[in-house]
Amino acid sequence: MAVFSDLYLDYQQEHWGTQLLWPVWVWTLHVPERRRDGLNVLAFTVLRLHAAGCDDPDWIADHLGVDGELIRYIVGDELIVNGLLDKKRRLTELGNEQLERSGEGSLQQRAALLFQSAESSALWPRQQGALREIERIDLGARYPRFLADRDSGQKLSPFVLSPANRDLPPRPSIAEFRDALRLDLIARRHQRLRASGGRDPDDLPSDAIELIDPRPRPAWVLCRVYKGPPDEHPWLVSDPLGQTRAAEWMRKEVFEASRRVPALARRLGGLLGEAVEKEDWETYRRREDAQVRFEVFERFPAADRIPGLEDRLVELLRVRATVAAAGSHKRAEEVGNLVIQCQRTLEQCLLWLLKRWPLERPGDRLSRQMRAADLQQALGCAVPALSNRFIEGMRVQPSKVYGALRHGTGSLRQYLAGVLLSLLDHPRHPFGQVAPDEDLMLRLLALSQDRDAAGHGGNKHTDPPNRQLALRHADTALDIVERLIEGILEDGQEQTRSERRQPTESQQAAGANRAS
């Protein structure tokens, strides 16, 4: 049988675990890229507004539809730090040059490599700018071997997955190429948000994507399968193109390939576990997911009371386990993702609380005439147990809180402000289990502030996320969820007791008959 390809690619940073050579078809395209010299769209707009004399962060936040704290973060930690604004928030000469040079940004063409699996024919949601080739060290051997590290002399003997189909695959449409590029840009943006550097993804016009070579090039790409950390997946697959640590979309490929190729299943040994014969991926995935969900059920027995919370907790526990298992090996992507998962989990809870125990007369209590200081005073009146330090940190625009309550789209702090105000309307509110705890509330405030920084992503000067702090944020989120569930269960028991004390219609009728 003819050799599929003599081109071997390696984008891996680490080479432990079970190594695989995955067959792919490599497409070469010209794609557009918008350049703004490091400033993303929001930061560039804020800089331009300052140049026009609009330097009030609350006014800018209202007109851009974002949180005021985010605007303050951009101004203080990006524009001033980079010398684009001075300490009085005035445009500097460097800032003026940035505006003149960047404008709205320019589209430039560049080469991009997209990879189509020869096993499943699926386009991978990744791109690369160049082929990172590795050379075999024993050309005459039946199976290829590679030198992983020249210093240690470590050699790789990966399993070579023979492709299911060696014929040229059907050419993907431009729309399919565009979707793969967009998913890659989103992944890169998330990586930037969780670490530092990079740019926001821009929309890719289809007419600007051009296929350079109508025939793809066959190649092998190195990836690895390894044991997952506790509370996460039992096994993981590295990102073949090295952008992230693990690639969820590759797990399905490996699983289905192991069903087709018994030798691969044997090579992977016990990593995949005991799979039922002819079990498809979705069934296997549900069975695997049930193990993690059982752990959620044990710790959060009433999580199903809040729609969607179980899924959030499963993901939070998985990411937390990944960060905890990483030890001293810093993984900025997972650390930043842990902060994001904490925020999403708490937002899920707070949104449900606002629906179940709504704020009465929000239009009157969050009027357009209110200022942030007025809202801080209202929070102190609603919850006297809140510390001055917490109230000072809760600088939120009342109009933003009102918009978050009305439309269900806002930031963690906006939802939190609405929930705290609603405690005055509902004496047995479940959040009453959380609000009196000063330490827990300050930790929650710190989580929301760190989320502002992670959500914007900062710039090249931003420090990577702190692993220990992210783990502490995870403990904060899990502690709050536990307290809320305790409050929800207590409220349910109280309602049940109240219902038992209320006579039924038949009992009322019987009493009336006896009286008559």
Side-chain angles (χ1 to χ4, degrees):
M1 181 180 295
V3 177
F4 175 69
S5 175
D6 58 359
L7 175 62
Y8 303 94
L9 307 174
D10 180 15
Y11 296 95
Q12 302 297 301
Q13 300 295 324
E14 300 169 308
H15 294 94
W16 51 273
T18 302
Q19 305 291 326
L20 304 180
L21 277 177
W22 203 269
V24 295
W25 298 97
V26 184
W27 298 89
T28 306
L29 300 92
H30 269 152
V31 298
E33 182 179 56
R34 192 177 299 278
R35 299 186 179 277
R36 287 191 179 87
D37 298 328
L39 279 186
N40 59 37
V41 177
L42 184 56
F44 184 82
T45 302
V46 173
L47 179 64
R48 197 164 53 178
L49 287 172
H50 277 73
C54 305
D55 59 358
D56 182 359
D58 296 328
W59 184 92
I60 294 175
D62 286 337
H63 284 74
L64 296 182
V66 298
D67 188 63
E69 292 302 314
L70 177 57
I71 300 299
R72 292 183 178 87
Y73 174 82
I74 293 172
V75 172
D77 287 41
E78 183 163 346
L79 301 182
I80 293 179
V81 167
N82 288 331
L84 304 177
L85 296 176
D86 61 21
K87 292 184 178 180
K88 294 183 178 180
R89 295 182 295 179
R90 295 176 302 194
L91 192 69
T92 64
E93 184 176 349
L94 182 61
N96 189 56
E97 291 177 359
Q98 175 79 35
L99 292 176
E100 293 177 353
R101 181 172 64 252
S102 297
E104 289 296 333
S106 58
L107 279 176
Q108 301 182 6
Q109 292 292 112
R110 63 172 178 83
L113 303 174
L114 268 70
F115 298 76
Q116 184 177 10
S117 172
E119 176 67 22
S120 65
S121 297
L123 269 178
W124 287 350
R126 294 288 186 269
Q127 63 168 307
Q128 277 291 343
L131 297 173
R132 188 181 296 176
E133 298 184 43
I134 51 174
E135 296 182 359
R136 297 178 57 170
I137 58 177
D138 49 357
L139 297 178
R142 182 177 180 183
Y143 298 106
R145 299 177 68 208
F146 308 93
L147 188 63
D149 183 65
R150 294 185 181 276
D151 296 332
S152 64
Q154 177 190 3
K155 296 180 176 61
L156 302 178
S157 300
F159 180 91
V160 181
L161 179 65
S162 181
N165 189 354
R166 293 171 179 262
D167 298 332
L168 282 174
R171 182 191 305 173
S173 66
I174 292 296
E176 290 172 324
F177 281 129
R178 179 187 180 186
D179 289 341
L181 287 165
R182 180 181 288 112
L183 290 173
D184 172 79
L185 289 172
I186 291 173
R188 290 177 187 273
R189 179 176 185 268
H190 287 173
Q191 190 175 22
R192 179 188 66 80
L193 294 182
R194 298 165 188 167
S196 60
R199 287 178 293 273
D200 283 333
D202 291 294
D203 196 26
L204 295 171
S206 296
D207 56 2
I209 299 174
E210 178 185 359
L211 188 62
I212 296 177
D213 191 344
R215 292 176 61 88
R217 184 177 181 180
W220 304 96
V221 179
L222 195 68
C223 63
R224 56 191 177 88
V225 183
Y226 57 97
K227 185 178 181 180
D231 299 329
E232 201 183 359
H233 298 305
W235 56 275
L236 298 171
V237 185
S238 66
D239 187 338
L241 301 179
Q243 186 179 130
T244 59
R245 177 185 63 92
E248 173 66 22
W249 41 273
M250 276 299 295
R251 298 183 75 242
K252 180 178 180 180
E253 291 238 18
V254 170
F255 177 86
E256 293 182 344
S258 70
R259 294 295 175 266
R260 183 181 68 83
V261 184
L264 174 60
R266 291 193 297 269
R267 181 67 173 266
L268 294 176
L271 280 176
L272 270 61
E274 293 294 332
V276 180
E277 186 178 0
K278 296 183 179 179
E279 182 180 43
D280 62 16
W281 166 252
E282 293 302 327
T283 305
Y284 173 83
R285 184 67 182 84
R286 285 194 296 269
R287 181 163 59 85
E288 180 191 72
D289 191 59
Q291 300 173 4
V292 182
R293 289 184 179 277
F294 182 72
E295 296 174 9
V296 171
F297 174 76
E298 284 188 311
R299 182 171 179 182
F300 309 95
D304 58 342
R305 300 280 188 93
I306 302 178
L309 179 58
E310 280 189 354
D311 293 335
R312 292 295 186 197
L313 288 171
V314 167
E315 187 63 21
L316 173 57
L317 288 173
R318 281 177 177 160
V319 178
R320 188 192 185 284
T322 302
V323 174
S328 59
H329 300 285
K330 293 183 178 179
R331 300 186 183 278
E333 177 202 353
E334 285 85 358
V335 173
N337 188 24
L338 181 56
V339 179
I340 293 173
Q341 295 303 329
C342 294
Q343 175 257 353
R344 289 175 176 172
T345 300
L346 292 179
E347 280 188 355
Q348 193 85 20
C349 296
L350 297 181
L351 276 171
W352 181 79
L353 291 175
L354 287 168
K355 293 178 181 179
R356 181 67 177 78
W357 289 271
L359 177 66
E360 297 179 2
R361 300 179 292 104
D364 297 335
R365 297 162 72 177
L366 295 168
S367 66
R368 292 183 176 274
Q369 289 73 33
M370 284 185 69
R371 298 171 301 172
D374 299 327
L375 178 58
Q376 289 173 313
Q377 184 178 3
L379 290 174
C381 295
V383 189
L386 294 177
S387 66
N388 291 333
R389 182 180 170 189
F390 176 86
I391 293 175
E392 289 172 1
M394 280 291 292
R395 184 173 178 82
V396 189
Q397 285 300 309
S399 60
K400 295 298 179 183
V401 177
Y402 178 76
L405 300 185
R406 183 175 181 181
H407 304 293
T409 56
S411 68
L412 176 60
R413 245 180 297 180
Q414 292 164 4
Y415 298 143
L416 176 59
V419 168
L420 291 173
L421 290 176
S422 68
L423 294 183
L424 203 58
D425 305 322
H426 309 281
R428 296 194 59 82
H429 197 295
F431 205 79
Q433 298 277 357
V434 181
D437 191 326
E438 179 180 354
D439 177 67
L440 189 57
M441 291 299 290
L442 289 174
R443 286 160 52 192
L444 174 56
L445 180 63
L447 168 58
S448 70
Q449 292 170 339
D450 282 0
R451 171 57 183 153
D452 285 340
H456 178 59
N459 52 69
K460 63 183 179 181
H461 300 290
T462 305
D463 293 332
N466 182 284
R467 173 178 170 272
Q468 292 299 329
L469 183 59
L471 290 171
R472 180 173 172 81
H473 287 332
D475 292 339
T476 298
L478 295 172
D479 289 346
I480 290 175
V481 172
E482 281 189 313
R483 297 274 189 96
L484 285 179
I485 289 178
E486 290 175 5
I488 291 170
L489 291 175
E490 288 187 7
D491 181 71
Q493 292 171 357
E494 181 66 22
Q495 288 185 1
T496 302
R497 288 192 291 267
S498 299
E499 290 170 359
R500 288 173 180 171
R501 288 195 294 266
Q502 295 294 329
T504 63
E505 292 182 3
S506 60
Q507 290 171 335
Q508 290 176 344
N513 291 335
R514 286 196 297 271
S516 62

